[in-house]
Amino acid sequence: MQGPIERLQLFVGLGCRRGCPASTLNDLLRQTFQAHALPLDALAGLASIALKHDEPGLHALARQLGVPLLFFPLEQLAPFEPRLSHRSAASFKHTGCHGVAESAALALAEHHAAGSAKLLLPRTLSADASLAVAWAPPFGG
């Protein structure tokens, strides 16, 4: 018999406009977690598309929160398309991915977990960024 999950781990995918500051990303993350009563200490990592690897705001946010930041190439995000809650034509035009935040959250959760990831929160939008939260069963869970 399995015991309860000892520690909830949440994985956040982020998309953003070029030059989006860490403060904007941090506000979106904190407001989203607060609005859905998610514990910030359950945040296990951040992810985005490889095209954003040079975005200072993403790196600064990860440092501020003390969590790892991973970037996934389009080829690793594309298989998640059927599981997205929304397909953005604008995102596809700019990145080749129909949903950066949701795809990155799912990819990160499956990278760190034992099973199929699920979107806990579909994309949340601000003027300059998008965020999604995923969860997956932990290894050994």
Side-chain angles (χ1 to χ4, degrees):
M1 184 165 145
Q2 290 186 346
I5 296 174
E6 291 182 21
R7 183 174 185 275
L8 176 65
Q9 289 191 317
L10 301 175
F11 302 93
V12 168
L14 293 160
C16 63
R17 293 187 194 274
R18 185 73 47 207
C20 184
S23 59
T24 298
L25 297 167
N26 194 6
D27 289 348
L28 178 60
L29 179 105
R30 290 178 185 277
Q31 289 168 6
T32 302
F33 270 54
Q34 183 177 17
H36 296 278
L38 297 175
L40 195 55
D41 64 354
L43 179 62
L46 305 174
S48 192
I49 192 167
L51 292 171
K52 299 291 182 183
H53 75 277
D54 62 347
E55 281 295 325
L58 291 170
H59 291 279
L61 179 64
R63 281 192 306 275
Q64 290 170 9
L65 297 171
V67 297
L69 170 63
L70 292 179
F71 294 94
F72 292 95
L74 179 58
E75 298 77 29
Q76 286 182 274
L77 297 180
F80 293 100
E81 183 181 342
R83 295 163 53 190
L84 302 180
S85 71
H86 176 82
R87 284 161 193 76
S88 168
S91 177
F92 187 78
K93 178 182 174 187
H94 294 290
T95 67
C97 181
H98 282 98
V100 170
E102 290 185 359
S103 296
L106 290 165
L108 184 60
E110 289 195 1
H111 178 78
H112 285 285
S116 180
K118 295 188 180 10
L119 282 175
L120 187 60
L121 293 177
R123 73 179 186 148
T124 299
L125 301 173
S126 73
D128 295 318
S130 61
L131 174 147
V133 181
W135 173 90
F139 285 116

